[in-house]
Amino acid sequence: MSPASHDDTPDTSLELNDDDTTSGRRKSGRVRSKPTLLSQEPNYSQASNGVKRKRVESRSGDLEDLSDDELEGRSSPVEGSDPDEQEYREQRRKARKPTLKKSKNSVTTTLAMRPAVNGMKKPAKAKKSRPKAAVTVNDDETGLYAEVFSRAHTLEAVAADWIARWERHNSQAMTDLVNFVIRCTGCNLTVDVHDIEDPDNAVSKLTDLQDEYQAQKPADYPLISKAKTNASFRSTMTGFFETLIQTCHAAGLLYNDLAIIENIEVWVSTMSSSGMRPFRHTATVISLAIGNTLCRVAADIAENTAKTMRQKEGEQKKKTVNKERVKTLETKVTELGSKRNQVEELLKSVFDAVFVHRYRDVDPRIRVDCVTALGTWIITLPDFFFEGIYLRYLGWVLSDTFPQTRMEVVKQISKLFKNKENVARLRTFTERFRSRLVEMAMRDSEVSIRASTVELLDLIRQTGLLEPDDIDNIGRLVFDTEPRVRKAVAGFFGENIHDLYDDTIEELGGEEGLAETLGEEMEGDYDTPRMSWLKLKCVVEALQSYDNEDEEDVSTTQQLRAGVLTTGTESRYTLAARTIYDGIPEAKEWEAIAGYLLYDLSASNTPMEQRCRLSEQEEILLLEILNVSVNSRLMEAMDAEIDKKGRKSRVRKDESRVIQEATALHLAKIIPDLLKKFGSNPATASAVLRLEHILNLEVFHDLRQDSTTFASLLEDINKQFLTHVDEGVLAEASTALLHARSFDDLEEVTEGKVQELWDTTISSLRYLMFLNPWTDNITEICNSVRRIAHLARIMDCTTMFQAVERPSKKTKNMSAKPTSTLDMLMDLLRDPALDSEAGEEADETVIDAMRALLFFYMWTVRSLQASSNTTEPDTDYPDYHSFASALTTIIESRQPLSTVRQTAVGTLLDLHTLFATFRHRDSPGQLLVRHIDTSAEHLILSTFNSLEKAFAQKSHHKLEVAPDDELDSEPKDDDDDEDEEEDVHTQQETLLAEKRLCELSGKIVLALVARVLDHEGKDKGKIRERISRNRLKLGPNFKEVIAYLDGPKVKGKKKPTAKKASTPKENSRALLPEDDEESDEEEALNEEGGEEELRKRELVEDRIVDPDDDEEEAEGGKAGEGEGNEVGDEIMGD
């Protein structure tokens, strides 16, 4: 707005005459004052003399003038009754007569003073200042665009000035407004007055503008620009149109002069169907903003109508009815009803002309805007939009291909369900789209959407609109691998358990009856039945019902853990227990859980104790909850030592120390009891042994407890180690011993117990090996070798392996020579009786023997490195050639996909890489660095080829093949055909195949870096080239493993790149330096993305599944042909 317009705006301040302050008082005690009205005339006339009421102030803050007749008519109360405050407010409303038929100058003055919220349900709030990060306007910018985005003008003033121009010359004003919309698209082209006066030619004119603008090849438009200068562009643009509509409503132009809204609708609606994205997106946002304002206007009209109706009813109930007032109120109700009908017609026009087509637009940003607007309309004007014909659009968009659109519709539906009054209206919608919501919560590709959908389903569950099967399906998400999903389902699961608990209480006679039976719970007494046991019973029952995995699933899970520390991998039960700990308070009472587990319920007679009996699977689940509860309690205690400011205080530290000491003493007491009760079952024994990992032995020693107590605990762990053959129990027991060895004060006791294990295990193996024939005892030998491998992992075994002893006198082969453990393990590797046909136990024996021997050489290298500075010349260095030869023989005799062969290949690579650490040491140890034999390289590469093909088949990746590569010639393994035929547990098998491939690839990469592989011979560099061939085709994990060959990235200054206007995601690529390798990799990945990648780049249409929308499909017609780029793309829904 030009400065001149400000000069014409009159001063809105009013002055009071001294005579007004001395006017008489009404019966109510109010002072009557005479209002003073300023007009544009230089000489204004005062109101006629006479007693007048005080100035009338509108709800929005405007002061209005009343005529003498109006004041006199309202100053006299109805005979027989005193006027109340409600009458005075109604009289002031009746006195408002906005006259728009005055001179044009007068109109300009009135509109400039009239606020845009006249008649709103709440008093106007203080206007917020314009955002500091306003849109930057060029100096040569003119017209309405410059006024709107100028910091010197408020949106209210600009809107009022535009209305004044409309009153003077409507065609010119509308031309300015349409040019403003066109300018907001980033286009500098304009329309003239003749185009505006011919609305039938709007489509043709906009087509010409579009063609001319498209010829300029625009790269961006303000609405989606990331430039800082456009930070507040959207809010300012939509704010202007919202203010304009509000001002038209307040001035009555929205109802008396329909040409304004009709012309806006013609041009904006036509632009919203444009084939050019800047036009279409900008016009859609404007139309939706107008719809938002119309909804608020309609809601305010509805509220004013309701208030007027209440006033009329109140007046009619009085003893003395003021018929004139009743008639006035009835007229007002009729006028308000007419206005609302007009507004609703405008809303329907916006919905039919814009929303119906754009909610299915090819641009996901437009779809998101439409979903947001529809949710706003439903909440703002529920009487009109809260119907099935509008709600169904939200349900259809749940199947949108763009994640942000699905997320937005979940947010909008959540807002509806948070209001309990909306439940009845949402019943049909929920029944229709409930299955889709459950599907999104369980299988959506975006974790954030899954988490938000779970929270939405929790709201739906509270309304009772979820089916039991749906509740169970969502409850199973406590086992989900995504932390955010588990966190979201914690509340859902907790409320579901609470409902089951209430049902159980009712079955047992009610809470009061149970309280009388159990008696008062004593603090610290956790060994007697209590109410929390029922809640825990409900928890484990629900978890067991959700856990439908059969034995085959469990075995697959164990295979996934093969080759890694089982103690470092959290089971699915542990993940579920963490979720339960966050959602159920009873899960935090670990002492009560331990008491529940130790209580003998086998001979119980009371109904409650019978109800609390645990099955074997429920005991496993409850032990997992106990582990998580104890661990979380200790972590919370340690975290409590630090306050919010990151400082430690003595008081907090002492409190934490008390909790840790009490926990340690209680654990030391219950762990032996738990092992005694649950030690026979490998699953429960593993869970109990994990409690020892949590035990703070330092606190145990500081309290000067008897060492026999600790020795007794170690004795129980030793019993578990010697009596179990399960891999999980052995791993947990060995880790518990390692944890005990970490405390120096208890090292003497621990070393003695571990030495007992060594003696017992080696003696058992020596006795079995010298039985004739020893292969008849392969099971016992397998178990002994497995225990040796676990002990070698936690303790230096060089002395134990090299010690030479005679076999036990119990053996029949008394002529056997003394031998060492190292020799016995080597004999197992060389023995042809343990070939591929010997069975599974023989394979496990070979695998464990290889692992044990590799640990022996690792401890040996560590010892040599520690003493390298003091090594004497006659030091006996180990000879690992025989071990490497045995590994090569095993590799040759096994199939490429055999677990034994894969372990042998990995061990061979680790062995040579291990001794390559002596390459840069100034010592005779450099002689230990040896290159892998060329014959073994062929076997290693053939194993890699088989694993690569297996993973590619399971993950449906296409490999690059080189027919002339001689090293690729390997007969196809029969296991490949079996894997292709099995279609069960595809995802787990794919993960297992990827794990095997990445493990072997990592070992190959380390060997290449250590220069012990592919560094000699005529095929030098062949293996490196081969493993890098498909680095971009087998997923990000494999890519990162192979990327280690390139070495660390050099940190340096980045090459400066010319700044370029950012382009939309669908038609843009980042400008990177030409020598950036990542650029080529990303480009190759994009080329392989197929339809999904093209959809992300918006070169393929995003479609929404709406099977029930046949009528809309017929109405919408086919999408127009697009050019696949930003300024000429396809439009869906038109």
Side-chain angles (χ1 to χ4, degrees), residues 39 116 133 241 246 369 419 429 563 610 612 645 671 688 692 723 730 778 787 931 956 1079:
S39 64
F241 279 96
Q246 286 281 14
D369 291 334
N419 188 350
F429 171 84
Q610 293 177 355
C612 290
K645 296 182 179 180
I671 287 177
V688 176
E692 196 276 341
T723 56
L730 295 178
I778 188 62
R787 293 190 181 100
H931 193 278
H956 306 290
S1079 174

Side-chain angles (χ1 to χ4, degrees), residues 338-366:
S338 176
K339 290 182 178 180
R340 180 172 181 178
N341 292 336
Q342 289 180 316
V343 174
E344 290 179 351
E345 286 296 326
L346 294 175
L347 278 172
K348 191 174 184 306
S349 177
V350 171
F351 185 86
D352 295 338
V354 179
F355 179 87
V356 169
H357 304 294
R358 298 282 66 77
Y359 91 100
R360 302 171 61 236
D361 195 275
V362 68
D363 188 350
R365 287 182 291 260
I366 298 178

Side-chain angles (χ1 to χ4, degrees), residues 4 226 287 346 367 378 380 400 660 737 840 869 1086 1094:
K226 301 297 183 181
S287 296
L346 294 175
R367 301 201 298 269
I378 294 174
T380 305
D400 194 279
Q660 294 181 49
L737 294 173
E840 183 178 353
N869 296 330
N1086 289 337
L1094 292 176

Side-chain angles (χ1 to χ4, degrees), residues 627-868:
N627 269 279
V628 171
S629 181
V630 175
N631 195 13
S632 301
R633 184 69 185 93
L634 292 175
M635 292 299 296
E636 291 173 356
M638 288 186 288
D639 293 341
E641 295 180 4
I642 304 175
D643 57 14
K644 295 181 179 180
K645 296 182 179 180
R647 297 175 300 184
K648 289 186 177 181
S649 63
R650 179 174 294 275
V651 176
R652 289 175 175 268
K653 191 174 181 179
D654 292 342
E655 292 177 354
S656 175
R657 185 71 175 179
V658 170
I659 294 176
Q660 294 181 49
E661 291 176 355
T663 303
L665 291 176
H666 200 165
L667 282 178
K669 178 182 178 182
I670 66 172
I671 287 177
D673 296 335
L674 290 172
L675 286 175
K676 183 178 180 181
K677 183 175 181 179
F678 301 106
S680 59
N681 187 344
T684 54
S686 299
V688 176
L689 288 172
R690 278 198 295 274
L691 288 173
E692 196 276 341
H693 308 170
I694 307 173
L695 184 61
N696 189 344
L697 298 178
E698 184 179 356
V699 174
F700 190 84
H701 180 266
D702 291 345
L703 294 177
R704 293 178 173 79
Q705 297 292 318
D706 189 359
S707 61
T708 57
T709 304
F710 179 68
S712 176
L713 177 60
L714 292 180
E715 186 66 29
D716 291 333
I717 296 175
N718 284 8
K719 289 180 181 179
Q720 297 297 319
F721 187 86
L722 294 174
T723 56
H724 283 282
V725 297
D726 181 76
E727 185 76 25
V729 177
L730 295 178
E732 298 295 349
S734 59
T735 304
L737 294 173
L738 181 63
H739 176 253
R741 293 183 69 243
S742 62
F743 294 92
D744 297 335
D745 296 332
L746 303 173
E747 183 177 3
E748 182 178 354
V749 179
T750 306
E751 291 293 342
K753 295 299 179 181
V754 175
Q755 187 63 40
E756 292 179 7
L757 288 179
W758 272 116
D759 296 339
T760 304
T761 306
I762 293 178
S763 298
S764 175
L765 177 62
R766 180 172 286 108
Y767 169 78
L768 295 170
M769 286 291 293
F770 285 96
L771 291 176
N772 199 6
W774 62 266
T775 53
D776 294 341
N777 302 289
I778 188 62
T779 301
E780 291 78 6
I781 291 176
C782 177
N783 296 335
S784 297
V785 174
R786 183 177 299 158
R787 293 190 181 100
I788 289 175
H790 280 281
L791 288 175
R793 181 172 64 87
I794 66 171
M795 184 176 181
D796 188 350
C797 59
T798 54
T799 303
M800 307 303 301
F801 273 42
Q802 293 174 343
V804 179
E805 296 183 10
R806 285 187 175 275
S808 173
K809 295 181 179 180
K810 298 180 181 180
T811 60
K812 298 180 180 179
N813 189 4
M814 298 303 296
S815 61
K817 296 181 179 180
T819 183
S820 65
T821 304
L822 182 63
D823 294 335
M824 289 189 293
L825 295 177
M826 288 298 300
D827 291 340
L828 289 174
L829 295 184
R830 297 192 188 102
D831 199 313
L834 299 181
D835 57 8
S836 58
E837 305 297 333
E840 183 178 353
E841 291 182 338
D843 291 345
E844 292 178 359
T845 302
V846 174
I847 291 174
D848 289 329
M850 288 188 290
R851 290 176 178 171
L853 289 170
L854 181 61
F855 280 125
F856 165 74
Y857 285 107
M858 292 172 67
W859 286 110
T860 302
V861 169
R862 180 181 180 183
S863 176
L864 290 175
Q865 291 176 346
S867 59
S868 60

Side-chain angles (χ1 to χ4, degrees), residues 255-491:
Y255 319 103
N256 302 328
D257 195 349
L258 300 179
I260 294 181
I261 196 66
E262 288 177 354
N263 278 274
I264 295 176
E265 180 181 357
V266 167
W267 288 91
V268 175
S269 299
T270 303
M271 290 180 65
S272 69
S273 299
S274 172
M276 191 166 59
R277 189 165 305 185
F279 277 27
R280 189 172 72 254
H281 191 186
T282 305
T284 301
V285 171
I286 292 174
S287 296
L288 297 177
I290 292 175
N292 294 341
T293 309
L294 291 175
C295 284
R296 290 194 293 269
V297 169
D300 295 334
I301 292 175
E303 185 173 350
N304 290 336
T305 302
K307 289 181 180 179
T308 306
M309 291 292 295
R310 290 194 297 269
Q311 292 175 0
K312 188 188 74 170
E313 293 173 357
E315 182 64 32
Q316 290 175 342
K317 292 178 181 179
K318 291 182 179 180
K319 295 182 179 180
T320 305
V321 179
N322 189 337
K323 296 182 179 180
E324 182 180 355
R325 186 185 179 199
V326 171
K327 183 178 179 180
T328 302
L329 294 175
E330 290 177 348
T331 303
K332 183 177 180 181
V333 170
T334 304
E335 294 176 354
L336 291 174
S338 176
K339 290 182 178 180
R340 180 172 181 178
N341 292 336
Q342 289 180 316
V343 174
E344 290 179 351
E345 286 296 326
L346 294 175
L347 278 172
K348 191 174 184 306
S349 177
V350 171
F351 185 86
D352 295 338
V354 179
F355 179 87
V356 169
H357 304 294
R358 298 282 66 77
Y359 91 100
R360 302 171 61 236
D361 195 275
V362 68
D363 188 350
R365 287 182 291 260
I366 298 178
R367 301 201 298 269
V368 172
D369 291 334
C370 289
V371 171
T372 305
L374 181 58
T376 303
W377 298 348
I378 294 174
I379 295 174
T380 305
L381 194 62
D383 293 342
F384 184 78
F385 282 106
F386 212 139
E387 301 292 341
I389 59 174
Y390 300 109
L391 289 173
R392 60 179 180 172
Y393 290 95
L394 294 178
W396 289 336
V397 180
L398 289 172
S399 300
D400 194 279
T401 57
F402 188 61
Q404 189 174 350
T405 309
R406 298 196 301 274
M407 173 64 80
E408 185 62 31
V409 73
V410 169
K411 290 181 181 179
Q412 298 301 327
I413 297 175
S414 299
K415 292 179 182 179
L416 298 179
F417 273 100
K418 287 179 181 179
N419 188 350
K420 302 301 181 182
E421 298 178 357
N422 298 334
V423 174
R425 293 181 174 183
L426 290 168
R427 183 177 299 275
T428 303
F429 171 84
T430 305
E431 293 175 355
R432 186 174 181 182
F433 297 102
R434 181 183 61 245
S435 59
R436 172 56 185 160
L437 290 172
V438 174
E439 181 184 12
M440 290 175 61
M442 298 182 65
R443 289 185 289 273
D444 197 277
S445 60
E446 295 293 327
V447 178
S448 57
I449 296 178
R450 294 183 61 198
S452 299
T453 308
V454 168
E455 295 174 355
L456 169 59
L457 288 170
D458 190 21
L459 296 174
I460 299 177
R461 184 198 59 80
Q462 297 174 12
T463 63
L465 298 179
L466 273 186
E467 296 293 333
D469 292 342
D470 298 330
I471 295 177
D472 292 340
N473 289 332
I474 301 303
R476 289 188 180 93
L477 294 179
V478 295
F479 295 114
D480 197 85
T481 57
E482 294 293 342
R484 295 178 61 183
V485 176
R486 294 197 305 271
K487 183 178 180 180
V489 83

